[in-house]
């Protein structure tokens, strides 16, 4: 689930299924299925989509706000661990 939340965050940051799928080495259809699976797992819709645009739902906005810096914090902690191992 955490991987899918990070995908969702990347999707919102890029504002594009195409860009996000390229950045994450996924097909667009796989990205779309993973976001849909995340919505099902959470029990609510994150995005309102049509063929031309996507809009965040209120729950999507809340999830994004909660986790938007999670990836940065995670990488910072991993860097600290790596530095400690090298010291």
């Amino acid at each position: 689930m955490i991987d899918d939340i990070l995908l969702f965050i990347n999707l919102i940051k890029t504002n594009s299924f195409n860009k996000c799928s390229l950045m994450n080495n996924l097909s667009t259809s796989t990205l779309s299925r993973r976001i849909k699976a995340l919505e099902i797992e959470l029990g609510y819709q994150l995005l309102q989509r049509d063929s031309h645009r996507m809009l965040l739902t209120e729950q999507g906005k809340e999830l994004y706000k909660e986790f938007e810096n999670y990836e940065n914090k995670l990488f910072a902690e991993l860097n600290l661990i790596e530095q400690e191992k090298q010291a």
Side-chain angles (χ1 to χ4, degrees):
M1 180 193 277
I2 291 173
D3 288 342
D4 291 339
I5 291 173
L6 291 175
L7 274 177
F8 170 72
I9 299 305
N10 286 330
L11 175 61
I12 301 310
K13 285 181 178 179
T14 61
N15 197 34
S16 166
F17 274 86
N18 288 330
K19 288 178 187 174
C20 184
S21 63
L22 287 172
M23 284 176 52
N24 290 282
N25 236 6
L26 299 170
S27 69
T28 306
S29 60
T30 299
L31 173 61
S32 183
R33 279 194 303 272
R34 288 186 57 184
I35 297 300
K36 189 64 176 168
L38 177 61
E39 290 176 323
I40 290 168
E41 193 167 352
L42 292 171
Y44 51 81
Q45 190 175 2
L46 299 168
L47 301 169
Q48 293 177 339
R49 307 177 236 187
D50 63 29
S51 59
H52 301 290
R53 63 185 175 153
M54 65 177 178
L55 298 172
L56 280 170
T57 63
E58 286 304 313
Q59 292 92 345
K61 289 176 187 175
E62 289 175 21
L63 186 72
Y64 179 77
K65 186 177 176 182
E66 188 69 33
F67 286 95
E68 68 180 316
N69 293 316
Y70 183 80
E71 184 177 38
N72 294 335
K73 291 177 185 176
L74 181 61
F75 284 124
E77 288 297 319
L78 290 173
N79 282 334
L80 285 175
I81 291 169
E82 189 63 34
Q83 289 173 4
E84 289 173 1
K85 283 175 27 180
Q86 292 177 1

